[in-house]
Structures are given as C-alpha cells and as structure tokens.
Amino acid sequence: MPNQNQPNNRIPTHTPHTHTHTADGGEKAIKLNIAAQNVGGFGLEVRQHRRKGVTGPKIQYLKQCIRMYNTEILVLTETRAKSIEEADTKRIGQLTPTMVTSSGRPSGGVTVLTGPNCKLIEGSERESNPPGHYIMGVYQMYGISMVIGGVYLDSTGQDQIGVEAIQQMDTHINDLRQVYHTREVVLTGDFNVVINAEQCHSGRINKPRTSQELLDMTEGQGMTDVGDILSNTEPTYRRHGAADVYSRIDYVFSTMQAVQYQLGWGHMDHAYMQAGIDMPQMKAQYRPRVKDWIVGSREFTRLGREVIVKTMLDHDQ
C-alpha cells in the first residue's frame, strides 16, 4: 500500500497521446484528457490575470499542468467567486471558460474550461439550486455528445445539503441524457465526501448519507470511479502544515472506459487530478430521416412549427 503521507510532487514531463491504437497500428479510440483542480479561491488571480502580462502563481501552475497533461477539459472548484463576472476567467493556456456557476458566498463556485475541439451545446447547461455546487452541460467532441459536469459539494459537513445536491444532479443527468440522446457522462471535481473510510486520516466517513447517495447515484447512472478502477486511491487533499491530515474527496466518475489517472501536486492543498478516458468510436455517418433539433435551442419553436405545418399540408395533398 502506498505511503499516504508522501505525495509525488513531480509533474510528468511527457505529453500524453490523444489516441490509442490497435496492434496493427490502426486507430482504435479517441482519448479525452479531463482534469480537476480545487484552487482554494481564485478572485485575486482573476483580477491579476485581467491586467495584461500579469499572472498569479495558481494560473502559472495550471498552465504548466495543462501543457504537461495535454488537458482538454479542466474543472476548477472552490473558485470562491462572488459573481459570474468574477468567475468568468480569461483563457488559461488553450482552454477558455464555457460554463460557470457562482455561489455568491466566500465558498463554492465551479468553472469549466474547454479546448477548441470541445463545443458546448447551447441551452444544455444545468446548475445546482442554490448555485455554486455543480454545473453540467452537453458537449460535442469529435462528433460524440457527452454530459460533462463540474462539482463542488458543500464543505460544511451538513449531510442533508450533500444528499439534496446529489439528488438534483441525478435528475439533471437523466434530463440531459433523454433530451440530447447521449449515454456518456463524466463528472469530476471536489465532492467533499469520503467514500471509503480507509482513504481518510480519521478512518471514518465524514458524511455517511451523502457518501451512500453518491455511490447509489453513480451506480444507477452506470458510472465508475476512475481512480478506484485504475488502482490509485491515494489522497487528493493534504492540509498544508499538517502532513497527517489527508483524505480522498476529489473524484472522476465516468460511463466510459478510463485508461489513465494521475495526481500532480503543486503548492495547493488539492492535487491536480487528471484522467484519460477512451471515447466510443464514432458510428458511420448517415443522414437522419428527421432533423434532430435540440429542445434547448432558440430555433426549436420556430422550426418545429414549420415542420408540423409542412407535414400537415403534404398530408392533405
């Protein structure tokens, strides 16, 4: 068993490939590189970043990790932004913010940044109520649609708040899967709950009801714990100045097969958690018999009405 108190502070110096290959060299699957980082507050960094040529240490570290891990989707948690405008950071490396939720309080807040190959479908965003605990939406990447969610659950230790947030999350996932006809889901971030008592310095599960609700939800949605599947359940949180205080509370859950999971440590309390996930192969392209309009788009009502009228007229002829 690895020593829980000795993190690996090295960041890999190689750039992971975005494709895996078959034995004969043919392309097998596209690999999605997704990461999460609890930044422990980002307001000052954002304000500094808006000044040309000035970046803070957190942004510099994130840029380094994005390059090293070839990150295509990055979820920042506990941004502590007091408004959407403050949370809406500028580009970090090649990634730009596409989804933001702000709690309006000193804690909470999630920002999802994505690369140029990952497109958010307009109108698909869903966030927690109250906001700041999670945000999710449907993205298209290499022709594949998938639900991506960034999570920062309540950190106060109130079990009921966590339970209610996960129940909302479950409802939103079901909604997005049905409306946008996708099976694939990836959730990542700081869930602020221990799933296994052995993965915490205290040897206990801090919020047992939240923990069980999370297990039930992920199992019901067909998601697996990427770190657990790939036999890396090392702590993702270590308190600075107290090496004996640690826990595994950051996770990546996915319906797709994971092929890589790594933790990188900088000067923040939480690890930079990166996962490589094989995306399903694209099916042969075909022209659909009925155009698949997205309910959340602004054109749905107008185009839908036109189709109904045209169909009725054609039927009368």
Side-chain angles (χ1 to χ4, degrees), residues 261-307:
Y261 177 82
Q262 296 172 281
L263 300 176
W265 290 92
H267 64 282
M268 288 178 271
D269 287 344
H270 289 252
Y272 186 93
M273 178 178 60
Q274 185 271 340
I277 297 172
D278 270 353
M279 298 174 64
Q281 289 180 291
M282 290 180 60
K283 297 180 180 180
Q285 297 294 317
Y286 65 95
R287 184 176 180 83
R289 295 178 61 187
V290 180
K291 186 174 180 180
D292 183 20
W293 285 305
I294 303 304
V295 174
S297 72
R298 297 175 181 176
E299 293 185 306
F300 176 78
T301 302
R302 179 179 62 81
L303 295 175
R305 185 184 300 112
E306 290 178 2
V307 168

Side-chain angles (χ1 to χ4, degrees), residues 152-205:
Y152 180 78
L153 294 187
D154 181 73
S155 61
T156 63
Q158 300 182 58
D159 223 352
Q160 184 60 29
I161 295 178
V163 169
E164 291 175 355
I166 293 171
Q167 290 173 347
Q168 286 184 31
M169 206 181 303
D170 192 38
T171 300
H172 280 152
I173 293 172
N174 288 333
D175 174 42
L176 292 175
R177 281 180 132 174
Q178 181 177 4
V179 172
Y180 296 92
H181 310 292
T182 179
R183 295 180 302 173
E184 311 306 346
V185 182
V186 182
L187 299 180
T188 186
D190 182 356
F191 289 75
N192 272 310
V193 66
V194 175
I195 291 179
N196 189 323
E198 296 179 356
Q199 298 167 7
C200 180
H201 69 279
S202 67
R204 65 181 182 86
I205 295 177

Side-chain angles (χ1 to χ4, degrees), residues 22-303:
T22 58
D24 60 2
E27 185 176 283
K28 178 182 178 182
I30 299 172
K31 188 174 76 173
L32 166 66
N33 291 316
I34 186 169
Q37 174 73 68
N38 180 311
V39 294
F42 215 43
L44 179 60
E45 296 275 331
V46 171
R47 289 189 290 273
Q48 288 180 329
H49 191 58
R50 286 173 178 166
R51 296 166 52 194
K52 185 177 180 181
V54 178
T55 58
K58 293 180 182 179
I59 291 178
Q60 293 175 8
Y61 173 71
L62 291 173
K63 285 183 175 180
Q64 180 185 10
C65 289
I66 290 169
R67 289 195 302 269
M68 295 298 179
Y69 291 107
N70 195 27
T71 302
E72 296 164 287
I73 300 177
L74 174 60
V75 173
L76 302 180
T77 64
E78 199 178 2
T79 57
R80 298 180 186 172
K82 297 180 180 179
S83 66
I84 296 296
E85 291 73 24
E86 184 177 345
D88 190 11
T89 61
K90 292 185 178 181
R91 180 187 297 270
I92 300 180
Q94 295 298 311
L95 308 184
T96 55
T98 49
M99 293 194 301
V100 173
T101 182
S102 172
S103 66
R105 303 183 305 277
S107 62
V110 179
T111 298
V112 179
L113 301 100
T114 55
N117 293 322
C118 194
K119 306 297 184 183
L120 175 66
I121 297 178
E122 182 184 359
S124 68
E125 300 99 319
R126 306 287 189 273
E127 67 177 326
S128 60
N129 182 22
H133 294 307
Y134 70 81
I135 190 164
M136 64 179 69
V138 179
Y139 287 82
Q140 283 197 329
M141 190 172 186
Y142 303 114
I144 299 168
S145 297
M146 54 190 166
V147 178
I148 300 293
V151 181
Y152 180 78
L153 294 187
D154 181 73
S155 61
T156 63
Q158 300 182 58
D159 223 352
Q160 184 60 29
I161 295 178
V163 169
E164 291 175 355
I166 293 171
Q167 290 173 347
Q168 286 184 31
M169 206 181 303
D170 192 38
T171 300
H172 280 152
I173 293 172
N174 288 333
D175 174 42
L176 292 175
R177 281 180 132 174
Q178 181 177 4
V179 172
Y180 296 92
H181 310 292
T182 179
R183 295 180 302 173
E184 311 306 346
V185 182
V186 182
L187 299 180
T188 186
D190 182 356
F191 289 75
N192 272 310
V193 66
V194 175
I195 291 179
N196 189 323
E198 296 179 356
Q199 298 167 7
C200 180
H201 69 279
S202 67
R204 65 181 182 86
I205 295 177
N206 56 336
K207 291 179 280 190
R209 291 177 56 216
T210 302
S211 178
Q212 188 60 52
E213 193 74 29
L214 180 59
L215 287 172
D216 292 344
M217 187 270 286
T218 53
E219 181 180 356
Q221 294 289 353
M223 291 186 283
T224 57
D225 176 352
V226 170
D228 184 56
I229 290 294
L230 296 180
S231 302
N232 185 345
T233 56
E234 293 185 1
T236 60
Y237 166 77
R238 303 177 189 277
R239 182 180 297 173
H240 279 310
D244 57 342
V245 178
Y246 60 86
S247 59
R248 182 173 183 252
I249 55 178
D250 305 82
Y251 305 97
V252 181
F253 297 104
S254 175
T255 57
M256 296 173 281
Q257 180 181 0
V259 295
Q260 183 184 45
Y261 177 82
Q262 296 172 281
L263 300 176
W265 290 92
H267 64 282
M268 288 178 271
D269 287 344
H270 289 252
Y272 186 93
M273 178 178 60
Q274 185 271 340
I277 297 172
D278 270 353
M279 298 174 64
Q281 289 180 291
M282 290 180 60
K283 297 180 180 180
Q285 297 294 317
Y286 65 95
R287 184 176 180 83
R289 295 178 61 187
V290 180
K291 186 174 180 180
D292 183 20
W293 285 305
I294 303 304
V295 174
S297 72
R298 297 175 181 176
E299 293 185 306
F300 176 78
T301 302
R302 179 179 62 81
L303 295 175

